[in-house]
Amino acid sequence: MKIAVCVKQVPEAAHLRIDPGSKRLDRSGEGALNAFDSNAVEEALRLKDATGDGEVVLVSLGPAKAQDALRKALAMGADRAILISDEGAAGSDLIATSYALAKALERESPDLVLFGQQAGDSDGAVLWAAVAERLHRPVVSQAAELSHADGKLTVKRQTEFGYDVIEAPLPAVIAVSDAINEPRYPSLKGIMGAKSKPQETVSLADIGAEAVDSRTEVYTLVDPPARGDSRKVEDDGNAAQAVLDFLAEKRLV
């Protein structure tokens, strides 16, 4: 079974900021493999091990330095990586990103496409649905368990009310939750071996994609409104009464 895992390099959480010039997320600093994508890579490796055969291919869209994040996933055990890196794709929104990824996936024709549930830099949690729509494949999200047999998948899907068990035919798109597994740490052997694994960098033209067309545009950025008057209460044993007095003063009780 050929499994494609869509992964993303995201900025370090401590350095998330918007570039006031481009009005985009600043990606000039250090980056890392999106944590949710590590779960997707781990699940792909487990499915490959369970079948005893197959290939795990990483697919990503980003700048050239995103190869650093892909190497971590290769060190975990993925077989090869494809990075779509093109100036024409800079600043891509959901529409443009899903288009580019779908074109790369069409070229690869995997049996299964895995996503992490969301990305740590945007937390949109909808890219997998957009890609599945473009590929015309069934999609299941919030996968907490995943198994494969007889050409179909059985997915235990986590919901706010419990679990759903869903069967889906292949090919399919699955978004896994972080509850599905505990990602392995790359071994020294894996880290060294990742350097020799195929890492292909392609342009939009290479994957048969036309110029991407983002449908969103940021016109301006403003600071959040200042907070109103506040009052700090030190708890010396009378905090509850102080809060009650404050609420009464504001005619809220």
Side-chain angles (χ1 to χ4, degrees), residues 31-122:
L33 179 66
N34 178 46
F36 288 94
D37 295 343
S38 296
N39 296 101
V41 173
E42 175 64 29
E43 197 61 23
L45 296 174
R46 294 187 184 193
L47 286 171
K48 177 185 174 181
D49 291 343
T51 59
D53 191 18
E55 182 183 32
V56 175
V57 184
L58 308 172
V59 180
S60 185
L61 172 67
K65 68 175 185 177
Q67 286 284 12
D68 295 338
L70 298 183
R71 274 191 283 274
K72 177 185 176 182
L74 289 171
M76 290 174 66
D79 297 293
R80 58 188 175 93
I82 300 169
L83 174 65
I84 310 162
S85 187
D86 194 305
E87 283 297 323
S92 293
D93 64 1
L94 169 70
I95 301 298
T97 299
S98 64
Y99 169 70
L101 290 176
K103 295 299 288 186
L105 292 167
E106 285 174 352
R107 189 182 75 154
E108 288 294 318
S109 297
D111 301 295
L112 175 62
V113 180
L114 293 181
F115 281 82
Q117 189 64 30
Q118 61 202 69
D121 57 352
S122 60

Side-chain angles (χ1 to χ4, degrees), residues 16-41:
L16 287 177
R17 62 179 292 273
I18 301 294
D19 184 325
S22 66
K23 299 181 180 62
R24 300 171 184 164
L25 191 65
D26 183 0
R27 301 183 184 277
S28 61
E30 293 298 318
L33 179 66
N34 178 46
F36 288 94
D37 295 343
S38 296
N39 296 101
V41 173

Side-chain angles (χ1 to χ4, degrees), residues 204-246:
L204 292 173
D206 291 333
I207 57 175
E210 301 174 0
V212 295
D213 182 20
S214 292
R215 306 292 177 85
T216 56
E217 183 177 354
V218 179
Y219 291 102
T220 187
L221 297 171
V222 296
D223 293 328
R227 293 186 177 185
D229 294 337
S230 61
R231 187 179 305 170
K232 185 176 181 180
V233 176
E234 297 289 349
D235 190 2
D236 58 358
N238 298 311
Q241 185 61 48
V243 170
L244 182 60
D245 293 342
F246 175 79

